């Protein structure tokens, strides 16, 4: 590594926990600096609690009492749904590149589209872009460790997933992570997607930030 370039080894080099914004029975929202910006993450609190008061309101039954099985099923759903597509794709991308990221992106953390777009726009660089009308040769253009983004017709980054060794890893909302061999199977869930984009980390920008922060 040259003397005028610094290598990112952990997200702690470019991020820092700032403040707790909101605490609910099972989640906490935290403000985090990310390079020169501020983002938010939402993390699941352990042990996960069954919110009886909320369930009684939803069922409109003040006497409702769940069975042990119902209670455990809801807790399991909450654990599965804690991480969304954005957090999962970033977690896998950084792990592939041997960058410690578990403090920010793990199975307990979800992030909003706004936070994801801030991270991608300020930390990544687009390497390729295609119209979804031409899906045939997507895989030919993919390198291992690619962060993939779907843009909808409103130009939002409405889904993110990850590619490695011929497999697309996609987590659709609160559902369990799934593995796909063909990108077209993911498109079926995101019909409002005219553009697919490939990203990799902007190493020069991150390196410059690290040098200036010394």
């Amino acid at each position: 590594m040259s003397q005028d370039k610094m290598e990112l080894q952990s997200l702690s080099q470019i991020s820092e926990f700032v403040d707790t914004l909101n605490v609910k029975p099972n989640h906490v929202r935290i403000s985090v600096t990310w390079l020169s910006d501020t983002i938010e993450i939402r993390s699941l609190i352990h042990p996960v609690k069954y919110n009886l008061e909320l369930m009684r309101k939803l069922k409109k039954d003040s006497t409702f009492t769940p069975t042990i099985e119902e209670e455990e099923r809801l807790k399991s759903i909450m654990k599965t749904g804690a991480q969304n597509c954005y957090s999962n794709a970033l977690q896998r991308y950084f792990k592939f590149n041997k960058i410690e990221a578990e403090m920010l992106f793990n199975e307990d953390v979800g992030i909003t589209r706004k936070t994801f777009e801030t991270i991608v726009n300020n930390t990544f660089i687009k390497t390729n872009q295609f119209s979804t009308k031409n899906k045939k040769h997507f895989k030919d253009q993919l390198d291992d460790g690619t962060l993939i983004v779907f843009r909808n017709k409103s130009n939002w980054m409405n889904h993110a997933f990850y590619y490695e060794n011929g497999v697309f890893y996609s987590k659709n909302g609160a559902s369990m992570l799934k593995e796909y061999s063909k990108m077209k199977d993911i498109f079926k869930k995101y019909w409002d997607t005219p553009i697919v984009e490939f990203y990799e980390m902007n190493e020069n920008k991150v390196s410059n930030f690290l040098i200036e922060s010394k």
Side-chain angles (χ1 to χ4, degrees), residues 1-184:
M1 185 175 65
S2 63
Q3 291 183 348
D4 59 349
K5 189 172 183 180
M6 290 189 67
E7 186 176 287
L8 183 66
Q9 298 176 326
S10 169
L11 294 189
S12 62
Q13 295 171 261
I14 60 171
S15 65
E16 184 178 355
F17 292 101
V18 177
D19 193 17
T20 298
L21 301 175
N22 179 267
V23 180
K24 293 188 175 181
N26 283 303
H27 295 93
V28 57
R29 282 196 307 119
I30 303 170
S31 175
V32 181
T33 58
W34 181 273
L35 276 76
S36 57
D37 290 288
T38 301
I39 61 172
E40 290 182 16
I41 65 171
R42 189 182 82 153
S43 184
L44 187 68
I45 297 172
H46 290 275
V48 178
K49 299 174 184 177
Y50 186 91
N51 193 331
L52 181 59
E53 181 181 355
L54 176 61
M55 292 307 296
R56 284 178 172 174
K57 283 183 180 179
L58 292 174
K59 292 180 177 291
K60 298 179 180 179
D61 181 358
S62 61
T63 65
F64 169 74
T65 301
T67 64
I68 294 175
E69 290 77 12
E70 288 173 329
E71 192 171 323
E72 291 305 313
R73 189 182 307 121
L74 183 59
K75 289 180 181 179
S76 177
I77 291 172
M78 292 181 67
K79 290 176 183 177
T80 301
Q83 186 179 44
N84 58 7
C85 67
Y86 303 129
S87 173
N88 185 268
L90 290 171
Q91 178 188 13
R92 290 180 174 274
Y93 179 88
F94 288 122
K95 183 177 180 180
F96 177 83
N97 286 282
K98 296 181 172 57
I99 298 169
E100 174 55 47
E102 293 296 314
M103 77 289 286
L104 276 184
F105 305 117
N106 57 62
E107 62 184 10
D108 291 332
V109 171
I111 60 175
T112 64
R113 174 178 57 84
K114 180 180 178 181
T115 284
F116 179 73
E117 290 180 346
T118 297
I119 291 171
V120 171
N121 291 336
N122 295 332
T123 323
F124 286 77
I125 187 168
K126 184 163 58 179
T127 59
N128 226 327
Q129 173 179 306
F130 298 92
S131 165
T132 53
K133 293 179 180 179
N134 180 23
K135 306 182 186 69
K136 278 190 175 181
H137 304 295
F138 280 166
K139 226 169 184 179
D140 297 338
Q141 307 294 327
L142 278 167
D143 295 322
D144 276 351
T146 297
L147 180 71
I148 306 172
V149 171
F150 284 172
R151 280 194 186 271
N152 65 14
K153 291 177 181 178
S154 298
N155 203 36
W156 297 348
M157 294 183 174
N158 63 323
H159 186 56
F161 54 107
Y162 172 80
Y163 174 82
E164 185 179 344
N165 291 328
V167 179
F168 299 96
Y169 297 87
S170 174
K171 193 174 191 301
N172 180 26
S175 302
M176 294 184 68
L177 177 71
K178 290 187 178 180
E179 299 179 9
Y180 298 88
S181 59
K182 297 178 181 178
M183 197 188 298
K184 69 177 183 179

